Amino acid sequence: MTMPAISPDNVKMLPTTAAPVVAMRPKRAPRADRFLKIARATAVRVIPPLIVLALLMLFWELVCRRAGSTLPPPSKVFKDTRELIFDPFFDHGGIDKGLFWHLSASLQRVAYGYSLAAIAGIALGTLVGQSVWAMRGLDPLFQVLRTIPPLAWLPLALAAFRDGQPSAIFVIFITSIWPIIINTAVGIRNIPQDYRNVAAVVQLNPLEFFWKIMLPSAAPYIFTGLRIGVGLSWLAIIAAEMLIGGVGIGFFIWDAWNSSHISEIILALFYVGIIGFVLDRAIAGLGYLVTHGTSAN
Amino acid sequence: MKPYLKLDHIDKTFTRGNATTEVLKDINLNIARGEYVSIIGHSGCGKSTMLNIIAGLTGASIGCVLLEDREVNSPGPDRAVVFQNHSLLPWLTVYQNVQLGVDKVFAKSKSKAEREAWILHNLNLVQMTHAKDKRPSEISGGMKQRVGIARALAMEPKVLLLDEPFGALDALTRAHLQDSVMALHQKLGNTIVMITHDVDEAVLLSDRIVMMTNGPSATIGEVLDVPLTRPRKRLDLATDPLYLKCRKRVLEFLYERHRFVEAA
Ligand SMILES: Nc1ncnc2c1ncn2[C@@H]1O[C@H](COP(=O)(O)OP(=O)(O)OP(=O)(O)O)[C@@H](O)[C@H]1O
Ligand SMILES: [Mg+2]
């Protein structure tokens, strides 16, 4: 404010030695402006959920603070789980491990089961979307199978594999494959005739047609399926792990309940929620990257 | 004159359930090498169907298409199509859209560097080199149509098939593109079959105009020779008596003898 008004033209002509002091002035204003704008935009998105969160915490604290309350208040949760929060990497052997190991074991199972489901789902979806006969034959089957709750498959999987690990992966697979198949098939069926004509004139062979026309054209649909699928597999893994035991966030929760560590359950739920959110966003982000510019026609 | 492209007694019937509609009946047409032929007729008479039969995208019910005395009944790059709605693949850039065909057609006969040069050459023919890295959604309608033309030309087709290539464009862009196509035809000597709704466009561009009767069972009503010398200049033609005579013939055919009858 103390500086006299300097027009940009004058500033440019000033010798470089004087520039640092003088030239910063007119430059700083727009930068500060931009900064302010970003800060405001962030605040608008971040502050309301923070306020709601604080209010909920307060409410929870008040309700659960009374003597005889069955659930611990947030202050007690934090006190009980300090060690788990600040040291997620300890490993005392068996299932006595830090949360990082439990979560990574669960994520690994999801990664296996979900990747298999993605590959098989896209392949089957393409078949069903492309061939009328495959659709007539398979669609009714899919429609029935997809209504079976994930956990109902677990005993059957255990009987077949006689081991927890492959059974859990199978449950993930069978849970997440249906939305992938169905959405891929819709995407393939919706490939405009024009694109098929282009492919026919250029004489693409079936494999080239699959990679160069089908996948990109159906990509928005496929990613919708993939996104629903990843959410479902995260839902299913927690339940499956509770039953199969071993290292994994699902069994961690079950184990905490058995040893009446309610605070640990609450902490685990927090992590499960955050990771489910991140998985969903990751697939959505990947979809955005891959289909960028595709939807605009 | 020995025909280069020959449509031999083509009938086309569409069947859905027990309902059958005869769209084309007894189409006979001989087209010479390097000739520019327009097909004009009222909406729904079966022009696109005819072009698709030549392209091999639709099969004829009876009759056949001969190209250089050989029957063609499946689509191929020797009969490249420029579609009415450009049909560029939106996830590929302009360059990649042209590349799709070039890589396929010249997979063996051209090296990678030669193919690249050829793609750029064809983009240059339609003056689209500057936008080669843009996606179809980022360029205008006229530019898309240019890229569609480049994609077709780059396949070095024996016959270039244009389905109302300028139909969706404004009058100025349309005139500009017509001039481009005329210049390309002059330079490369392609054999071209073009569908159009526009009488002026047909007379300006064509060596012959094929006029279709109304459907159902549409057939070729009349074929008009356009003996105007090339190169043709839009402005000079506006007052050329020969041009006006040709134009009148087509108008008479379309609006007097085969007036459009509302189907419903
Ligand atoms: N796949 C199909 N099944 C049944 N009928 C069809 C099919 N394709 C086209 N037709 C019919 O064939 C007739 C001719 O269609 P076509 O698209 O060839 O007309 P057109 O002359 O190109 O019209 P426009 O100038 O409006 O593009 C129409 O009556 C249409 O209903
Ligand atoms: Mg048409």
Side-chain angles (χ1 to χ4, degrees):
Chain A
M1 303 300 133
T2 48
M3 288 300 293
I6 294 175
S7 79
D9 299 358
N10 289 342
V11 174
K12 274 197 196 118
M13 287 190 294
L14 283 171
T16 40
T17 44
V21 185
V22 185
M24 283 311 277
R25 270 302 161 101
K27 247 190 191 167
R28 184 171 281 171
R31 189 183 294 171
D33 247 22
R34 200 152 23 114
F35 194 73
L36 212 73
K37 222 176 251 170
I38 293 172
R40 191 172 300 154
T42 317
V44 163
R45 300 189 70 189
V46 170
I47 291 178
L50 280 183
I51 292 176
V52 171
L53 196 67
L55 286 176
L56 280 176
M57 286 284 195
L58 187 71
F59 178 71
W60 177 11
E61 182 76 39
L62 291 178
V63 170
C64 295
R65 205 168 202 169
R66 293 166 302 139
S69 157
T70 49
L71 295 178
S75 53
K76 186 166 175 337
V77 169
F78 184 72
K79 214 163 63 199
D80 289 350
T81 59
R82 267 184 94 99
E83 273 171 58
L84 283 172
I85 294 173
F86 292 114
D87 183 13
F89 298 111
F90 71 83
D91 186 350
H92 299 326
I95 61 162
D96 191 7
K97 293 182 194 314
L99 275 172
F100 172 82
W101 302 110
H102 287 289
L103 287 168
S104 87
S106 301
L107 278 172
Q108 232 168 58
R109 292 188 182 110
V110 168
Y112 283 130
Y114 179 69
S115 309
L116 288 175
I119 295 167
I122 291 173
L124 277 171
T126 306
L127 181 69
V128 171
Q130 183 68 1
S131 145
V132 178
W133 280 104
M135 186 182 82
R136 287 187 189 149
L138 291 171
D139 194 57
L141 205 66
F142 290 165
Q143 296 300 339
V144 172
L145 288 181
R146 80 190 176 94
T147 62
I148 298 176
L151 279 193
W153 290 100
L154 188 61
L156 191 66
L158 283 168
F161 298 116
R162 305 200 169 270
D163 186 15
Q165 181 75 356
S167 305
I169 292 173
F170 175 77
V171 169
I172 300 298
F173 171 83
I174 205 78
T175 310
S176 53
I177 197 171
W178 309 117
I180 302 177
I181 293 179
I182 290 167
N183 281 283
T184 304
V186 172
I188 298 289
R189 230 171 284 146
N190 279 337
I191 296 176
Q193 186 61 39
D194 293 339
Y195 300 169
R196 293 178 186 277
N197 286 347
V198 169
V201 169
V202 176
Q203 286 185 331
L204 295 181
N205 62 38
L207 205 63
E208 289 168 325
F209 181 64
F210 177 74
W211 284 112
K212 296 188 170 175
I213 308 285
M214 275 185 166
L215 276 191
S217 175
Y221 293 89
I222 294 176
F223 273 98
T224 307
L226 287 175
R227 204 172 154 190
I228 301 173
V230 83
L232 289 181
S233 46
W234 192 236
L235 290 183
I237 188 66
I238 308 295
E241 281 175 347
M242 286 187 175
L243 294 175
I244 62 163
V247 179
I249 193 70
F251 190 67
F252 175 88
I253 294 175
W254 193 245
D255 193 42
W257 153 245
N258 280 331
S259 16
S260 310
H261 295 151
I262 308 300
S263 298
E264 289 181 11
I265 299 181
I266 292 171
L267 178 71
L269 290 188
F270 175 75
Y271 278 128
V272 168
I274 294 288
I275 289 183
F277 175 76
V278 169
L279 285 178
D280 181 65
R281 280 304 143 113
I283 300 293
L286 189 68
Y288 180 77
L289 272 184
V290 171
T291 62
H292 191 52
T294 303
S295 44
N297 203 342
Chain B
M1 177 194 79
K2 197 169 154 41
Y4 187 61
L5 179 71
K6 186 177 170 76
L7 308 193
D8 197 7
H9 292 96
I10 288 184
D11 287 16
K12 178 67 191 174
T13 329
F14 282 110
T15 315
R16 180 168 290 147
N18 5 346
T20 57
T21 34
E22 184 171 54
V23 175
L24 296 175
K25 188 168 171 59
D26 206 25
I27 302 279
N28 287 294
L29 187 62
N30 293 330
I31 295 171
R33 186 172 191 146
E35 201 174 11
Y36 197 127
V37 174
S38 292
I39 299 170
I40 198 166
H42 290 291
S43 184
C45 71
K47 304 183 295 292
S48 294
T49 308
M50 186 163 147
L51 198 84
N52 285 342
I53 290 173
I54 301 176
L57 294 166
T58 312
S61 306
I62 304 174
C64 63
V65 179
L66 298 166
L67 178 60
E68 289 186 309
D69 292 329
R70 236 177 306 160
E71 182 172 353
V72 283
N73 44 22
S74 62
D78 55 346
R79 282 151 293 134
V81 190
V82 176
F83 298 94
Q84 174 164 12
N85 51 356
H86 69 77
S87 298
L88 300 179
L89 303 176
W91 54 88
L92 299 181
T93 62
V94 163
Y95 179 90
Q96 290 166 332
N97 264 289
V98 180
Q99 188 182 27
L100 187 75
V102 170
D103 277 358
K104 214 37 206 165
V105 176
F106 301 108
K108 299 218 175 67
S109 52
K110 277 185 163 64
S111 74
K112 199 158 180 292
E114 282 172 330
R115 290 203 295 264
E116 194 182 324
W118 177 245
I119 294 166
L120 290 175
H121 169 74
N122 279 280
L123 282 174
N124 195 30
L125 280 181
V126 295
Q127 290 132 38
M128 282 302 298
T129 323
H130 62 95
K132 71 185 174 67
D133 294 321
K134 291 213 165 110
R135 287 181 199 274
S137 55
E138 298 164 333
I139 59 179
S140 72
M143 289 164 138
K144 283 180 205 164
Q145 215 48 275
R146 281 172 191 281
V147 178
I149 293 171
R151 175 172 65 183
L153 282 177
M155 292 188 252
E156 268 192 340
K158 291 179 176 159
V159 181
L160 186 61
L161 304 171
L162 309 172
D163 189 350
E164 292 183 42
F166 317 122
L169 305 175
D170 65 279
L172 287 176
T173 314
R174 172 191 280 244
H176 194 61
L177 268 186
Q178 285 166 350
D179 291 343
S180 304
V181 167
M182 240 189 319
L184 285 173
H185 179 236
Q186 188 82 19
K187 187 169 165 186
L188 306 175
N190 309 72
T191 309
I192 302 183
V193 179
M194 176 182 79
I195 292 179
T196 181
H197 268 136
D198 184 335
V199 178
D200 289 298
E201 178 173 291
V203 180
L204 176 67
L205 294 175
S206 328
D207 297 315
R208 275 194 298 157
I209 301 175
V210 173
M211 294 173 252
M212 306 271 293
T213 63
N214 285 333
S217 306
T219 189
I220 296 175
E222 191 180 327
V223 179
L224 176 72
D225 275 306
V226 184
L228 295 165
T229 51
R230 290 179 188 272
R232 299 174 182 171
K233 289 252 160 42
R234 180 183 304 275
L235 278 178
D236 302 346
L237 287 182
T239 49
D240 188 320
L242 200 55
Y243 174 85
L244 294 173
K245 207 178 110 210
C246 292
R247 193 170 175 276
K248 187 148 174 270
R249 274 296 282 278
V250 180
L251 287 172
E252 271 170 6
F253 180 91
L254 288 178
Y255 299 107
E256 240 162 53
R257 282 185 284 150
H258 295 275
R259 201 171 328 159
F260 184 59
V261 275
E262 207 60 60

